[in-house]
Each structure stands twice: as C-alpha cells, then as structure tokens.
C-alpha cells in the first residue's frame, strides 16, 4: 500500500520518509499558529472594540519590521537549524509570558498578546518553510512542496474544529498553552529533520556588522528563486 501511495504521489525512492517528516513538521508548526492566532482574536475582541484593530495592526507592523531585520541579520551568522531552534524556544517563552500577562492585565494584556502573536507567528512561518525548502532540492521542490503544504491546510482544518470547544471549556488564553505544546513537538521534529534531511555547511565567520548582514540576507531572499515561491506560500497562509 505504501508503494502504491508513493507511485500515486510520484514520490521517488527515499522521498516518502522525507516528505512525511516535513509534512508532520509543517503540520505541528501550523497547529501552533492556529491555536495562538485563535487566542489572539478571542482575547483581543473581548477586551477591545473592532475599531481598535487598525491600531493593533499598526503596532504589530512596526514590531514585525524590527524583528524581521534582526532575524535577517542573525540568519547570516547562525545555521538555519540553530536559528529555527532559537526561534521556537523564544516564541514558546514569549507565548507563556503573554499567557500570564493576559490573565494579570485584562486591559493591556490582550493588546500585548495581539502584537506578540502577530509578529512571532509571521517570523516562525518564514523560517519553518525555509527549513522545508532546505531539506529538498530544487528539482523535487515543485512536486514535494505542495504535498508538504497539505500539512498546513490540515492543521488549519483540524485546529479550527478544536479551538472552539477548547476555548469554551478552558478559556481562550489556554489556547496559548496548547500552542506552546505544539511548538515543543515542532522542535522535536526539527531535530529529526536536521538529522535525516539536512546537511548544512558551516557558515563562514565573516567580520561584518549588523547592517552588512542584513543587506546580504535581503539580497539572498531577492535572488533565490525558491525563496520567492515560498514567500507566496507564506503570504497565502498569513
């Protein structure tokens, strides 16, 4: 049956296991996004009127710009897996922090949740898809990326069914804790993917400053064809 499925999906030898690992990696990462963004929406609309949404997006856009610049510069100095691991750890800690903030400060907490979730999930989506693209070659990307992307769609579907009962029974803030659980699973799968599917060359230790690293990172994003395809996928998810 596995062979028939591989034939139907046009998977070559060795691609089935790799695609399954990346599918699960993207599924868990997207599940964390679904839980955190559902908590973001419920908490914010409970504390603020809809007219406050543009202000929240304004703050989020400013914070995302600063965070993106920092990550672009860090990408020049850190290996991809290490950068993704640090991001997953930092995002998990931040989500736990805003979980307690939402409980402690019913007025200011939801705004902090909104901005934090908007910024961190956007960064995480970009880096997770960068890991997926690094694990496959350019020739197979056209076949495998859509299959891996089904994991994201499945996470949105199943997560959408789960968030309602969970928020109703445990409160919307509890979804942030479930998101952290999904991130821990994502981190574990990252190690499996790194061990089996990624062969990263050591990054050269170049003596360049923050601005030079930023420019180099942005140049790579603009010139690498596969990253432009991934940017389209990420934009659709957002």
């Amino acid at each position: 049956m596995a062979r028939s499925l591989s034939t139907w999906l046009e998977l070559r030898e060795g691609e089935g296991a790799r695609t399954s690992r990346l599918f699960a990696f993207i599924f868990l990462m997207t599940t964390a996004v679904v839980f955190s963004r559902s908590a973001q929406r419920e908490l914010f609309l409970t504390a603020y009127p809809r007219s406050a949404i543009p202000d929240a997006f304004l703050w989020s856009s400013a914070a995302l710009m600063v965070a993106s610049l920092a990550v672009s510069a860090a990408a020049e100095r850190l290996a991809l897996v290490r950068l993704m691991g640090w991001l997953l750890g930092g995002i998990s800690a931040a989500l736990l922090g805003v979980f307690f903030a939402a409980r402690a400060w019913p007025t200011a907490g939801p705004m902090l949740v909104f901005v934090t979730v908007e910024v961190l999930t956007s960064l995480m989506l970009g880096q997770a898809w960068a890991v997926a693209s690094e694990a496959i070659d350019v020739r197979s990307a056209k076949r495998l990326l859509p299959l891996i992307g089904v994991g994201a769609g499945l996470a949105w579907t199943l997560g959408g069914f789960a968030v309602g009962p969970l928020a109703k029974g445990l409160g919307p803030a509890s979804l942030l804790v479930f998101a952290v659980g999904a991130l821990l699973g994502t981190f574990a799968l990252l190690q499996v993917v790194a061990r089996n599917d990624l062969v990263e060359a050591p990054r050269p230790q170049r003596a360049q400053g923050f601005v030079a690293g930023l420019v180099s990172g942005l140049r790579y994003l603009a010139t690498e064809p596969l990253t432009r395809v991934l940017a389209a996928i990420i934009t659709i998810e957002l």
Side-chain angles (χ1 to χ4, degrees):
M1 181 176 179
R3 181 173 297 179
S4 301
L5 183 62
S6 296
T7 302
W8 182 65
L9 294 175
E10 299 182 356
L11 296 176
R12 297 168 184 169
E13 185 176 356
E15 289 183 343
R18 175 177 300 178
T19 303
S20 298
R21 287 188 289 267
L22 293 172
F23 180 97
F25 174 74
I26 292 296
F27 172 81
L28 279 177
M29 182 275 303
T30 308
T31 298
V33 173
V34 173
F35 282 136
S36 57
R37 289 201 167 172
S38 297
Q40 172 200 48
R41 181 180 62 250
E42 294 296 327
L43 290 169
F44 186 82
L45 292 178
T46 299
Y48 294 93
R50 290 185 179 273
S51 59
I53 292 177
D55 292 334
F57 273 115
L58 183 63
W59 284 109
S60 300
S61 298
L64 180 58
M65 180 181 67
V66 174
S68 297
L69 292 176
V71 171
S72 296
E76 278 295 298
R77 298 173 177 272
L78 297 176
L80 179 61
V81 172
R82 176 168 292 185
L83 176 61
M84 185 67 196
W86 277 103
L87 272 178
L88 289 173
I91 292 171
S92 298
L95 290 181
L96 286 176
V98 295
F99 165 76
F100 290 112
R103 289 176 171 270
W105 304 311
T107 302
M111 179 64 79
L112 185 60
V113 170
F114 190 101
V115 174
T116 301
V117 168
E118 195 68 26
V119 171
L120 296 184
T121 55
S122 298
L123 292 176
M124 182 171 62
L125 281 169
Q127 289 302 313
W129 279 105
V131 170
S133 70
E134 193 73 18
I136 55 181
D137 57 62
V138 176
R139 289 178 299 176
S140 60
K142 187 179 293 187
R143 293 182 297 103
L144 299 184
L145 279 178
L147 296 177
I148 297 166
V150 172
L154 185 62
W156 280 106
T157 302
L158 298 180
F161 283 116
V163 293
L166 288 173
K168 185 177 181 180
L170 301 174
S174 67
L175 296 175
L176 295 170
V177 179
F178 284 102
V180 172
L183 289 178
L184 294 177
T186 304
F187 181 83
L189 273 171
L190 174 66
Q191 308 311 309
V192 176
V193 169
R195 187 165 55 249
N196 292 278
D197 306 312
L198 291 174
V199 179
E200 290 192 314
R203 299 247 175 178
Q205 298 297 319
R206 289 176 289 184
Q208 58 179 5
F210 177 86
V211 175
L214 170 62
V215 171
S216 179
L218 294 178
R219 186 185 299 117
Y220 171 79
L221 292 176
T223 57
E224 180 64 31
L226 188 54
T227 60
R228 293 199 291 269
V229 175
L230 291 174
I233 296 174
I234 295 164
T235 302
I236 293 172
E237 282 201 54
L238 291 172

